[in-house]
Amino acid sequence: MPVPESLWPGTLIPWDPKFMIESLSDSTIYMSYYTVAYLLQGGVVNGSTPGPLGICPEQMTVAVWDYVFFGGDLPTTDIPPESLRKLRREFSYWYPVDLRVSGKDLIPNHLTYFLYNHQAIWPQPGREGAGQEPCRWPNAIRANGHLLLNSEKMSKSTGNFLTLKQSVERFSADGTRLALADAGDGLEDANFVFEMADAGLLRLHSQLEWVKEMLECRDKLRCDPPDNYTYHDRLFANRINHLIQLTDASYHDTMYREALKTGFYDLQAARDSYRDLTAPSGGMNWNLIRRFIEVQALLLCPICPHISEHIWALLGNEGSIMEARWPSLEGEVNETLLKEGDYLLTTAHEFRVRLRKMMDIREKKSSTGKVPPRPEYGVVYVAQEYPPWQKLALTKLRELLNKAENSLPENKVISEVLKKEDLLKTHMKKLMPFVQYIKQSLSVKGTEALDLTLSFDEKLTLLGNLNYLTRSLDLKELWIVNAAEATDPKIREECQPGKPIPVFSETAHKPWLQVTAVNPQACVPYFTVPIPVYHDDTASTVGDRICRTSSVPGNVEIELRRYQKDARSIPVAGDSSGQAKIGARSQFSISDGCLYLSDPENGATSVAVGSHLQYLLYFILCCAVWTDVEH
């Protein structure tokens, strides 16, 4: 454009001074000067004092700059050769620019010319005039949005303004950095919200206090080595590995909000889930808790270095966390185990929501105004496979899937294809709602939503976490049953793999008898407890029930015994005569109002048990097993 006399400063094009490059587009290779600035200026910006190399401004001729930026033979100058070589080495080491970060408003001018000027000054290797120099073009550009304060534009005139010093004084350095990282990623405008900054600061404080608490009580936790990890240990260890992987990728892509989500919030959520899952069955493992604390500190360090450094020292590590290696994976990430964990937590949450809604509906329908009794029992129906018509629908949907975009066509197209199948014609009312459900699952789960079966055994996963689910729902008892056994045809029809249906009630699903469980061990604070024994119970489920009823801590193992003679005889400490051990896989049954036991392992088939059982506790503390004298 022609340059008016009143135009703002810029650079006139040497070969045609009628044109000018405006200043924003002009200054785009100054990063190359940064590589040697400390040698030339030594901290004095105006150049009045020579830097460490003692070079004056007038000595930096075009020939000298050509040598620094392009190499070749040493120029004719009074600058010592070693000083010239040092300038050249510094530039060669630091260039090209790995990442250029700037605002999204500079994309059409400054950042565009940033590319053009690098291309003009440093041609790509192999092109004429480029010589054998490595490519000096920038490796990446990262544009970001503007910064909002409490969802509004920052402005001194309106008072919606916060300086960096004010933020550090109010939220601390780490609190400020956490809130900035959490404010937003990419081209969207980042939003620094005071409430979020306060919440983040509180979260950091809670993490620090929790670490101190764990260090104080570590002797009370299990310390099993990896070879002896429980199912929940492996679940947590696998989740840690997965979150390390995700966080590392987010940092690599400069997606700091996502890195904070996976490396801090998601990791803490995994820790909380691990604590809840292990509460009924032995408690947490110190080896895993220490790894969690260490990994958490390392992943959070780029954003919150001060608290990470403090926690690193609390763990007894030598040296600074800044010198520590980035956390590595301990084994490959098990995708199936990840899906099991996600399924378990999601399902438990959905069960709680369903139970809460059920109580809300009952309360609204109550004519007396009183709170109706809360269900004490539950049955979870699990489907091993889809009904035939849903299987066919999934097969057809898989054929219609656009794999490149991971999407299905419009419902109109899908409907035309599915209507041609005779099996589906009788299910048209339920067909399209099912298709819509699969579409929603597809956006979350990917192509896995179209699989005919799950990649893990759904029933075994629920059975293995029965204690957790029962406690989580605050029920007396919970049963996991195949959907094919349901008496309600609606349950048999609607239950799907990965979508179990819970039914809650005030009555037990199976017949039961009251039994008195007696603990004869000396110096053990657990005595006689009445418990129900249900038809088809195993010794393991009865032991779990005793733990729940008596509030026995999770770090115990239960052994059951039956009386061989008089079930009402008073137990004597240390005297096991007249008693028989009950195998963990034995099974109870109820017939004609009497309780019977089938225990092939110990040579018992359909033996009458009576109304009393004995239970012995084996306390497990940090790999040491404490039992009574007899054992």
Side-chain angles (χ1 to χ4, degrees), residues 31 77 93 205 217 278 287 329 344 348 365 434 503 560 598:
M31 291 71 67
T77 176
Y93 178 82
H205 175 74
C217 71
T278 55
N287 292 327
L329 305 188
L344 177 62
K365 290 183 177 181
F434 175 71
V503 177
L560 288 185
S598 175

Side-chain angles (χ1 to χ4, degrees), residues 110-127:
H110 187 81
L111 293 177
T112 302
Y113 274 85
F114 170 69
L115 296 176
Y116 288 168
N117 288 340
H118 274 81
Q119 193 276 339
I121 302 298
W122 290 284
Q124 189 176 11
R127 294 179 58 188

Side-chain angles (χ1 to χ4, degrees), residues 28-250:
T28 58
I29 59 170
Y30 52 79
M31 291 71 67
S32 59
Y33 178 66
Y34 290 167
T35 63
V36 296
Y38 81 100
L39 296 172
L40 299 175
Q41 292 183 260
V44 182
V45 179
N46 62 11
S48 59
T49 303
L53 295 183
I55 299 175
C56 297
E58 56 270 16
Q59 291 178 285
M60 295 300 295
T61 62
V62 172
V64 171
W65 281 118
D66 282 348
Y67 172 73
V68 172
F69 289 154
F70 306 120
D73 298 330
L74 287 171
T76 302
T77 176
D78 54 355
I79 298 175
E82 184 53 39
S83 296
L84 289 172
R85 293 191 183 98
K86 187 171 182 61
L87 291 171
R88 173 62 183 167
R89 282 197 303 269
E90 285 297 294
F91 171 77
S92 299
Y93 178 82
W94 291 109
Y95 237 65
V97 176
D98 290 329
L99 177 66
R100 175 78 170 96
V101 181
S102 192
K104 63 182 180 181
D105 54 317
L106 299 184
I107 292 175
N109 44 36
H110 187 81
L111 293 177
T112 302
Y113 274 85
F114 170 69
L115 296 176
Y116 288 168
N117 288 340
H118 274 81
Q119 193 276 339
I121 302 298
W122 290 284
Q124 189 176 11
R127 294 179 58 188
E128 185 178 352
Q132 297 304 313
E133 276 285 282
C135 184
R136 304 292 184 185
W137 294 1
N139 289 332
I141 293 177
R142 173 71 151 76
N144 53 261
H146 300 139
L147 181 62
L148 303 177
L149 188 63
N150 293 321
S151 304
E152 296 180 4
K153 183 180 179 180
M154 280 207 293
S155 171
K156 288 184 178 179
S157 61
T158 62
N160 190 47
F161 195 79
L162 183 72
T163 66
L164 190 58
K165 181 180 179 182
Q166 290 170 335
S167 182
V168 171
E169 290 173 348
R170 178 167 179 173
F171 304 112
S172 79
D174 278 357
T176 298
R177 293 168 67 97
L178 184 75
L180 286 171
D182 200 27
D185 273 332
L187 293 176
E188 65 180 60
D189 289 340
N191 188 16
F192 189 101
V193 181
F194 286 177
E195 290 183 1
M196 296 299 295
D198 284 328
L201 188 58
L202 180 61
R203 192 73 172 261
L204 290 175
H205 175 74
S206 298
Q207 170 68 1
L208 177 59
E209 293 303 310
W210 181 83
V211 169
K212 293 178 181 178
E213 181 184 337
M214 288 297 102
L215 290 172
E216 289 177 1
C217 71
R218 59 185 170 185
D219 292 339
K220 298 179 182 179
L221 303 180
R222 294 184 297 110
C223 56
D224 305 334
D227 290 343
N228 294 332
Y229 275 0
T230 65
Y231 171 78
H232 296 124
D233 290 343
R234 290 186 287 108
L235 205 65
F236 186 42
N238 191 59
R239 179 66 66 182
I240 291 175
N241 283 341
H242 184 235
L243 291 174
I244 290 174
Q245 200 175 59
L246 293 179
T247 306
D248 184 67
S250 295

Side-chain angles (χ1 to χ4, degrees), residues 343 346 350 386 389-390 394 397 408 411 414 430-446 448-451 454 458 494-500:
Y343 165 82
T346 301
E350 290 175 352
Y386 286 98
W389 70 270
Q390 291 181 348
L394 286 171
L397 289 176
L408 290 167
N411 287 348
I414 295 175
K430 294 178 288 186
L431 183 59
M432 292 316 294
F434 175 71
V435 169
Q436 195 59 36
Y437 164 74
I438 295 299
K439 275 190 167 184
Q440 292 173 355
S441 298
L442 188 66
S443 61
V444 177
K445 300 179 181 179
E448 180 189 345
L450 298 174
D451 291 344
L454 299 182
E458 183 179 3
E494 294 183 359
C495 195
Q496 303 168 6
K499 193 180 178 183

Side-chain angles (χ1 to χ4, degrees), residues 175 321 349 354 378 500 530:
I321 193 173
H349 172 71
R354 187 157 183 158

Side-chain angles (χ1 to χ4, degrees), residues 377 476-477 479 508-517 529-546 548-549 560-561 582 586-591 593-598 609-614:
Y377 302 94
K476 284 185 177 180
E477 205 63 40
W479 291 274
H509 175 65
K510 296 180 179 182
W512 59 278
L513 289 174
Q514 187 90 336
V515 172
T516 300
V529 54
I531 59 163
V533 177
Y534 298 88
H535 184 73
D536 288 342
D537 264 349
T538 64
S540 178
T541 56
V542 173
D544 290 341
R545 195 173 298 123
I546 291 173
R548 291 199 305 269
T549 306
L560 288 185
R561 292 180 177 181
I582 298 177
S586 59
Q587 194 165 33
F588 293 91
S589 61
I590 296 175
S591 178
C594 296
L595 184 64
Y596 294 90
L597 175 70
S598 175
V609 175
S611 59
H612 286 66
L613 292 171
Q614 276 195 12

